[in-house]
Amino acid sequence: MLNIQRIALREIRLPLKEPFRISSGVLSERRICLLELTDADGTTGWSECVAFEQPMYSAETIDTAWLAIREWLAPRVIGHAFEHPSAVFAALSRNICGHNMAKAAVEMGCWEVGARQRKLPLSRMLGGTRDRVPTGISIGIQATPAALAERAKAAYDQGYGKIKVKIQPGADVAFVAAVRETLGSKVHLMADANSAYTLADADHLAKLDAFGLIMIEQPLGRDDLVRHAALQRRLSTPICLDESITGVDQAEDMIALGSGRIVNIKPGRVGGFASSKAIHDVCERAGIPVWCGGMLESGIGRAHNVALASLPNFSLPGDLSPSARYWEQDIVTPEWTMDVDGMVQVPLDGPGIGVTVDLDRVDGLTVRREVIGSAKMATV
Ligand code: OSB
Ligand code: MG
């Protein structure tokens, strides 16, 4: 029985080792909202809200998420009993539109608490079956094709099983060509446009068909399911949708319309684990592969993603790079690592997320804190 009494929100700031550029903007520091949830039985769990500082990827930001959690979402959970965390998403969604990343942070924290109560690894609580998951890397937009090719080569040599390069108009065909030429024809290569194109660019995008990409991710706008279907008919490269898939309904629409052939599931984008699992299941039935995307998470969000990626239909490498790719030092121990075959171990030895939050470090990085819920328990 889940019965959350208290949610402690905090904001930490974590500088990225190097700026990450996508078509809609640059990230150089992550302002991260962390949640620590406490159940009536004393069990605690952690989650991370993946919203960015600016509304560049989706409408949410860390500040809107903080407000949504404090004002509307935490009160739907605190002091309410749930048989199982799978019931939380519906309770958060009744008459509350949008705010998926805020909902996900609360809901995924509930799954972590539920897993700890049952003494289960989060992976197994979710229905995961793998004990290691294949990892890809997402490389930001670089100044020149040669610089990108050099990055891609270094990543391939490290063992990554999939290389994704960010593209935008003016940094696309020549950049992908340089990477393909450097890596050879066998390496799993893909491009992610983060909605930078319109259907008027279809002929231009069709030039990418020459490079044998395993997919092109989110070429058009997030609401462009019909236009993506038109574009897919013009491309031999499979389209993978990211921003467009905000819930299971959009996944069903994508399948019905033929808007894409692969789905990137980010649990934050879709409102949490119940929604992710529903999308996973719908895609599995339709023969659509899924993989787990990333939002430059700290080690806490990464733990949630790795657990999700251990489900059976996550059949392509996820954007699950190890801690050292992003941070000088992560906020969990052990840090996330990848072996020479590009695999990340799913923690199965302990309950919940399976990594320990470095509280001293988190305290040192905290710039804002707010406790919601039981005053009696809110003494720290
Ligand atoms: O579209 O997947 C994306 C990073 C910021 C914004 C959007 C995206 C990304 C990534 C990073 O691709 C993936 C990662 O966490 O390594
Ligand atoms: Mg993407």
Side-chain angles (χ1 to χ4, degrees):
M1 180 74 79
L2 192 74
N3 193 353
I4 302 296
Q5 298 297 301
R6 166 186 194 267
I7 299 180
L9 292 176
R10 42 167 109 215
E11 175 183 340
I12 62 165
R13 302 213 172 162
L14 217 47
L16 285 157
K17 272 188 176 171
E18 57 177 26
F20 190 85
R21 179 180 292 279
I22 68 173
S23 61
S24 50
V26 193
L27 291 138
S28 24
E29 183 192 53
R30 284 293 270 120
R31 286 178 58 197
I32 299 175
C33 170
L34 298 176
L35 277 64
E36 189 183 7
L37 302 88
T38 309
D39 192 89
D41 70 8
T43 310
T44 63
W46 286 88
S47 63
E48 170 170 347
C49 180
V50 300
F52 294 139
E53 180 171 6
Q54 301 287 331
M56 57 191 266
Y57 167 85
S58 69
E60 289 181 271
T61 70
I62 176 172
D63 297 302
T64 70
W66 192 292
L67 174 85
I69 293 169
R70 182 221 292 139
E71 296 294 326
W72 310 306
L73 301 173
R76 293 268 176 110
V77 169
I78 291 174
H80 296 274
F82 295 89
E83 282 298 334
H84 193 274
S86 57
V88 172
F89 180 63
L92 295 178
S93 295
R94 197 173 11 94
N95 302 329
I96 298 180
C97 305
H99 299 284
N100 279 0
M101 292 175 182
K103 288 174 181 170
V106 172
E107 196 246 19
M108 293 162 77
C110 289
W111 280 87
E112 176 5 32
V113 170
R116 287 183 184 275
Q117 288 174 326
R118 291 166 179 80
K119 304 194 171 15
L120 280 175
L122 183 58
S123 154
R124 296 319 188 230
M125 178 79 184
L126 292 169
T129 51
R130 296 165 207 268
D131 51 16
R132 36 184 227 151
V133 295
T135 301
I137 189 172
S138 173
I139 304 177
I141 294 168
Q142 305 292 316
T144 63
L148 181 63
E150 191 183 312
R151 280 312 177 84
K153 176 76 169 60
Y156 178 68
D157 290 343
Q158 275 181 275
Y160 284 104
K162 183 185 82 182
I163 311 283
K164 158 167 140 180
V165 299
K166 294 288 186 179
I167 56 169
Q168 66 181 13
D172 46 32
V173 178
F175 286 66
V176 170
V179 175
R180 181 51 95 196
E181 196 185 330
T182 303
L183 295 181
S185 60
K186 293 206 183 68
V187 174
H188 286 334
L189 178 63
M190 62 172 291
D192 184 358
N194 289 108
S195 301
Y197 298 90
T198 70
L199 199 50
D201 300 310
D203 287 340
H204 182 68
L205 290 168
K207 293 180 191 154
L208 293 172
D209 280 341
F211 305 109
L213 302 181
I214 56 172
M215 68 191 95
I216 174 168
E217 185 176 340
Q218 197 69 38
L220 310 180
R222 78 185 253 143
D223 295 325
D224 285 346
L225 280 175
V226 171
R227 293 181 186 89
H228 272 113
L231 180 63
Q232 182 67 89
R233 289 192 289 273
R234 308 262 297 267
L235 301 181
S236 61
T237 306
I239 290 176
C240 167
L241 293 181
D242 172 354
E243 284 91 330
S244 291
I245 308 299
T246 50
V248 69
D249 292 347
Q250 288 70 30
E252 285 177 347
D253 291 353
M254 178 199 95
I255 294 164
L257 291 166
S259 319
R261 301 184 190 144
I262 301 173
V263 174
N264 165 336
I265 300 183
K266 295 178 181 173
R269 190 193 67 228
V270 303
F273 284 139
S275 172
S276 298
K277 279 163 61 64
I279 295 168
H280 168 275
D281 293 351
V282 156
C283 288
E284 189 166 47
R285 283 196 291 276
I288 300 276
V290 305
W291 54 280
C292 185
M295 291 287 282
L296 311 173
E297 290 91 348
S298 80
I300 294 175
R302 190 87 353 182
H304 286 269
N305 288 353
V306 167
L308 181 66
S310 71
L311 270 70
N313 192 39
F314 281 82
S315 50
L316 293 161
D319 283 345
L320 302 165
S321 294
S323 305
R325 146 108 178 108
Y326 310 98
W327 325 111
E328 291 300 341
Q329 190 191 339
D330 206 334
I331 58 168
V332 299
T333 48
E335 294 207 344
W336 291 96
T337 55
M338 176 181 85
D339 68 20
V340 289
D341 300 321
M343 304 295 278
V344 172
Q345 296 293 320
V346 180
L348 295 173
D349 290 341
I353 58 174
V355 286
T356 304
V357 177
D358 183 343
L359 251 188
D360 286 344
R361 179 156 162 72
V362 167
D363 279 342
L365 293 166
T366 297
V367 296
R368 172 163 58 139
R369 200 176 140 82
E370 183 170 346
V371 175
I372 309 158
S374 153
K376 205 167 70 217
M377 298 183 79
T379 46
V380 246

